[in-house]
Amino acid sequence: MGHLPDIAFVSFGKPKAVWKPILEIYEKRLAKATTFKHVILREKGDGPVDVQANATKLLEPYSGPGVFVLVFDERGKSLNSPAFAKVLQAARPKKVTAVIGTSYGLADDFLTRADRLVNLGAMTLPHEIARATALEQIYRADTILAGHPYHHS
């Protein structure tokens, strides 16, 4: 399985150039606060079922025993930022893998094994915006737990 960071953020598909600087802001900030890695996996397969099955295989190294798997998914629970921070705090001392699924989502069998599903909001978001929002919320949660003034409540 290799050495996992304290927080692994796993997403699918290479980010478009316009999004890279936005993602890097939060990646760099998180890397200063904890061992953090944004893992970008390749989405591949013919059709939704194939893509989802392949994603499940690719996620195996990041979702083994001792790992708290959190998936950002529309079927998850909506949480405010302080409540989301509490979820991350409760997950420790386990490693945390936070996942944004493929353009076809993730397979039901993977979702049922996940420790927590979190909804980013009732509206459907484009993948790139969901990825940036999820990453920012992980950073925000980390600052809330550290008592950093980034989050104004």
Side-chain angles (χ1 to χ4, degrees):
M1 185 154 96
H3 179 72
L4 286 178
D6 289 335
I7 300 174
F9 177 60
V10 183
S11 65
F12 289 83
K14 192 174 160 189
K16 291 182 181 89
V18 68
W19 291 100
K20 283 184 181 173
I22 295 162
L23 297 172
E24 284 172 5
I25 290 167
Y26 301 110
E27 291 166 354
K28 286 177 181 165
R29 289 177 182 180
L30 276 161
K32 283 181 187 170
T34 186
T35 60
F36 170 82
K37 185 166 176 52
H38 181 183
V39 178
I40 299 168
L41 301 174
R42 192 164 155 246
E43 184 173 312
K44 61 184 181 205
D46 298 317
V49 174
D50 203 23
V51 169
Q52 289 177 348
N54 186 58
T56 298
K57 282 186 200 126
L58 292 174
L59 285 163
E60 280 173 15
Y62 305 97
S63 56
V67 179
F68 183 90
V69 178
L70 182 144
V71 180
F72 292 98
D73 185 87
E74 62 192 9
R75 289 167 279 187
K77 187 176 178 186
S78 278
L79 301 171
N80 64 23
S81 296
F84 178 64
K86 285 183 181 148
V87 168
L88 287 185
Q89 186 175 37
R92 306 269 169 85
K94 286 185 171 184
K95 304 287 187 182
V96 174
T97 293
V99 183
I100 287 267
T102 71
S103 57
Y104 295 111
L106 295 166
D108 287 340
D109 66 331
F110 183 83
L111 292 174
T112 56
R113 289 194 317 262
D115 295 289
R116 194 67 182 261
L117 302 184
V118 175
N119 184 326
L120 287 170
M123 294 181 187
T124 301
L125 298 174
H127 186 80
E128 297 280 21
I129 293 173
R131 178 172 14 207
T133 302
L135 187 56
E136 190 278 339
Q137 284 300 302
I138 293 167
Y139 172 69
R140 181 177 296 272
D142 196 65
T143 65
I144 289 168
L145 296 174
H148 186 279
Y150 177 80
H151 177 76
H152 309 287
S153 50

